[in-house]
Amino acid sequence: CGDNGAGKSTLVKMLCGALRPDEGRILIRGAPAEFRGPKDATDAGIETVHQSLGLVDTLTVPENVFLGREETFQVLGLFRQLDLAKMRAETRTLLERFGISVPTLNEPVFRLSGGQRQTIAISRLLLSEPSLLIMDEPMAALGVEEGRRVLDLVASLRNEGIAVLMISHNLEHVFQIADRIAVLKNGRLVGVLRIADTTREAVVGMITLGTLP
């Protein structure tokens, strides 16, 4: 958490390989890691859901889930064709595993609600079985009910053993779902507290004053 300009998005970009840090270290399971690009972060088990989501509106749900890693089969030994049936079946299995519900898999995603589009963006990243999922303001444009569904999805990811790092301005959501909260101000870490050991008032003080309670 942190106010505008605190450095949250910059931190996320460094963790997902989009920016290279000027100093400091990134440790994964205690070992130093250096990312030359997003693929290095993905190979290390880190996936990121950005605010833009990165979906292709005119493609269906399975086509978005498998975007860039499409399943194909060979025709007449000459050329390859998309295996739409396999992608649809594997997408359905993936969504059921995490309790994600969408009205139909065959419609283009521009017809889905904001919350459904958010869950599809998350589902696409789960194909690689990440150990860390970073979510940058995942509920910024969602209503109350859709926000609750995304929180339920985060809880199911945690139960599957996937760590979730969530950037959020909404302390209500933070206190509902988080185990720990880290506050940034002016590009520096103010502190990290366990949710069970702090209050909303204390966190607001960290965000505005830049000091520990």
Side-chain angles (χ1 to χ4, degrees):
C1 288
D3 211 344
N4 291 333
K8 305 184 299 298
S9 294
T10 301
L11 174 63
V12 166
K13 290 175 182 176
M14 289 189 290
L15 293 178
C16 71
L19 289 177
R20 300 187 71 174
D22 298 315
E23 58 183 76
R25 296 186 300 161
I26 296 175
L27 302 178
I28 299 179
R29 300 180 183 89
E34 183 177 350
F35 301 149
R36 293 164 295 179
K39 187 178 184 304
D40 288 345
T42 298
D43 291 344
I46 299 173
E47 294 281 12
T48 305
V49 183
H50 297 281
Q51 292 187 48
S52 63
L53 299 185
L55 299 177
V56 179
D57 286 345
T58 54
L59 297 183
T60 65
V61 173
E63 289 169 340
N64 269 284
V65 169
F66 280 87
L67 190 64
R69 44 194 166 188
E70 291 82 358
E71 296 285 354
T72 61
F73 63 91
Q74 201 159 18
V75 179
L76 302 177
L78 298 175
F79 57 92
R80 304 200 69 80
Q81 183 170 319
L82 288 177
D83 194 338
L84 296 175
K86 183 176 182 180
M87 290 194 295
R88 190 178 301 112
E90 292 190 15
T91 297
R92 184 175 291 109
T93 299
L94 183 68
L95 298 181
E96 289 175 353
R97 173 184 170 188
F98 292 99
I100 299 171
S101 175
V102 295
T104 176
L105 298 182
N106 299 322
E107 294 285 348
V109 298
F110 75 82
R111 296 183 179 175
L112 301 179
S113 69
Q116 290 165 342
R117 288 165 56 84
Q118 183 73 256
T119 56
I120 296 307
I122 296 170
S123 301
R124 184 178 63 190
L125 302 179
L126 298 178
L127 273 182
S128 63
E129 300 285 342
S131 53
L132 172 63
L133 181 64
I134 302 173
M135 305 173 70
D136 191 358
E137 295 286 358
M139 289 161 288
L142 303 184
V144 174
E145 181 60 23
E146 290 194 322
R148 184 190 63 78
R149 290 174 183 167
V150 173
L151 288 178
D152 290 342
L153 175 57
V154 172
S156 70
L157 296 175
R158 178 175 59 190
N159 294 338
E160 289 273 338
I162 299 173
V164 180
L165 174 61
M166 186 166 68
I167 307 298
S168 179
H169 281 91
N170 191 319
L171 289 184
E172 185 66 30
H173 291 158
V174 171
F175 274 80
Q176 282 182 46
I177 200 67
D179 298 307
R180 290 176 292 169
I181 180 169
V183 175
L184 299 179
K185 187 175 179 62
N186 298 329
R188 296 186 178 278
L189 178 66
V190 178
V192 181
L193 299 175
R194 289 184 55 81
I195 289 292
D197 299 331
T198 190
T199 64
R200 290 170 178 77
E201 292 75 16
V203 172
V204 169
M206 293 170 66
I207 294 172
T208 55
L209 301 177
T211 58
L212 285 168

